[in-house]
Amino acid sequence: MKRWWAVVAYVIVPGIDGSDGQHWQTLWERQWGTSAVRISPASWSAPDLDDWVDAVQEAYDDASRQDSRVVLVAHSLGCWAASTWLNKNPSSPTDGAFLVAPPDPHGPAFPRQAAATFMEVSAQPLPCPALVVGSANDPYCTPEAAAGFAARWEARWHLAGACGHINSASGLGSWRHGCELLDSLTQQ
């Protein structure tokens, strides 16, 4: 049984180049203050999977010093870094993974040259509760592919409507619906 009064520490796992100032992840991070730790890979623009997984580990270590409840909040390519880290660290206590707009590594728009080390990732059952959120018109992943990832991750699936890549360009601001979805994950 979870403590209802517990604070949650969040690990923010953005996609390529990090999330800009108008991205919901950045807006949430500002709101959460010291309860949020953003990954800091050396390879933001030319993502290296091992570097990103190491960055998730460092951020997780920082977050877990703040609170025993840690939730990963990932977007785009960050979903693959987060899921890879989770599968490599199944005994690390993680209260949830919020995976938004995972790109399809086999889809036509995947950044094959920039993110070559992510080409062979695969969705495997995750060791914690997870929620995958997709969009009906994401240029990087069809809803069917995203739902398939959710099934293989053994995660709940939610189609958020036509929100593009669910990023700054989507004009979601602080994305209230996303906050509600995250709450549904963390309050299980």
Side-chain angles (χ1 to χ4, degrees):
M1 182 173 183
K2 301 218 188 285
R3 301 171 298 161
W4 64 269
W5 63 87
V7 175
V8 174
Y10 298 96
V11 173
I12 308 291
V13 190
I16 291 177
D17 293 325
S19 297
D20 66 28
Q22 300 307 307
H23 195 289
W24 56 268
Q25 276 184 315
T26 302
L27 298 174
W28 290 5
E29 182 180 5
R30 286 185 198 137
Q31 179 183 340
W32 293 331
T34 59
S35 294
V37 180
R38 182 182 290 244
I39 68 166
S40 297
S43 60
W44 271 127
S45 298
D48 175 76
L49 182 60
D50 290 338
D51 176 41
W52 281 40
V53 169
D54 290 347
V56 173
Q57 181 67 56
E58 289 176 28
Y60 174 86
D61 290 344
D62 288 347
S64 63
R65 283 191 282 273
Q66 295 178 42
D67 196 270
S68 61
R69 295 187 66 200
V70 177
V71 173
L72 306 184
V73 178
H75 176 257
S76 191
L77 205 58
C79 296
W80 291 109
S83 66
T84 300
W85 178 83
L86 284 163
N87 282 317
K88 287 184 174 187
N89 297 279
S91 61
S92 293
T94 307
D95 276 60
F98 187 63
L99 307 172
V100 179
D104 182 353
H106 303 290
F110 191 81
R112 285 174 174 72
Q113 290 184 351
T117 59
F118 284 74
M119 292 293 298
E120 300 304 318
V121 293
S122 64
Q124 300 169 20
L126 297 175
C128 66
L131 173 58
V132 177
V133 181
S135 168
N137 61 342
D138 187 339
Y140 297 99
C141 191
T142 66
E144 296 79 14
F149 299 147
R152 290 193 297 285
W153 278 323
E154 295 182 357
R156 286 181 18 227
W157 161 245
H158 179 82
L159 184 61
C163 302
H165 193 47
I166 314 179
N167 57 8
S168 298
S170 301
L172 300 170
S174 61
W175 193 30
R176 181 184 169 115
H177 182 62
C179 288
E180 293 166 357
L181 292 169
L182 178 62
D183 285 347
S184 77
L185 174 66
T186 60
Q187 294 176 8
Q188 288 185 4

